[in-house]
Amino acid sequence: MLATTERPRGVIERFRAHLPVSAATPVISLGEGSTPLIPSPRLSERVGRDCRVWVKYEGLNPTCSFKDRGMTVAVSKAVERGTAAVVCASTGNTSASAAAYAARAGIRCAVILPAGKIASGKLVQAFAYGATVVAIDGNFDDALRVVRELGSRPDFTIVNSINPDRIAGQKSAAFEIVEELGDAPDIHMLPVGNAGNISAYWAGYGEYSEAGLAATRPAMVGFQAAGSAPIYHGRVVEQPETIASAIRIGNPASWEMATRAIRDSRGAIDIVTDDEILEAQKWLASKEGIFVEPASAASIAGLFKCCDPARQPAYPFMQIPEGSRIVCTVTGHGLKDPDAVRFATATAVQPTEADVLRAIGF
Ligand code: AN7
């Protein structure tokens, strides 16, 4: 357990024994991980049935998404092997993270992105960290196909989640939750795109349970955007669409691993619409003070779906069992994608006390 006086050390130093690193591995870290697990009373109240809900706020990682947990391991291992460049396809967050860790390591980074489909904050990050950005006329799935081809060259290391070092690092979020709650939660909900993260959490919970550090494992419940739901429908989606651009993926790389995680954990995969996602994003920001990007809000929209008696969620209990401890991972910061936000705008008034008071409406 992290002592209160101790500063977070980064995923590799904190969980070294559980990661594929040795004393010879250079540690490329930006102090990622150790993100807050925020007790969320209003969410708990909305779920009812004596349930308690926590939000794992992954937007507080160094590049503002959960990708940093896996990237510290993947880039450290790439440097250990003497790689000259890392390469990835991305819907935005993987590229931001790869670019930052490559900069930190002093190696090159090339990111292959679907043209016009990356949230502005994420694109700015890739350029700021000095990555070589290649936009392609195609979607994420096309970009990943090209990256797989590039990866066969000896001078490149792929840092998408098809690289097992990424999954290894992302297990750390499950470790942190178990350490903080004293056990695994009953239900873990999260958004699903390439399905690496749901697989990583399940592996992490499994590892802590086998090591005797957790008595239970959670049901893993994943949510895809309704227009990009290949796992839910059981078939590749050729033209995925959703406002949640991070999970606009039609052919997930970790499809099989995720299917096993959902089956073995007695969890479920379900869908949420773009309207539900945006409503949940706004709700979480205005009721709990947690601002997340649209893809991240899919876990919250999914929780709402599961506790709405008028809906028929895929989650097998139909209604969440009484007294459940629920963790929702929110994967990326709201400022990543300012253009997706549908909040009110402010109209200017005269700079007088009277005008401002009138505008406040008091
Ligand atoms: C905010 O950056 O795939 O199911 O290329 O950015 O592990 O893919 C991002 C995925 C959820 C889905 N939330 O996680 C990429 C990319 C956010 C994300 C996901 C992503 P996976």
Side-chain angles (χ1 to χ4, degrees), residues 65-67 89-95 122 140 160-161 170 191-198 246-247 249 293 295-296 331-332:
S65 88
F66 72 101
K67 304 286 182 183
S90 184
T91 57
N93 280 326
T94 297
S95 52
K122 305 175 189 181
F140 169 83
N160 282 103
S161 56
Q170 285 174 212
V192 171
N194 249 318
N197 211 27
I198 192 169
I247 52 172
I249 293 168
E293 66 169 284
S296 309
T331 41

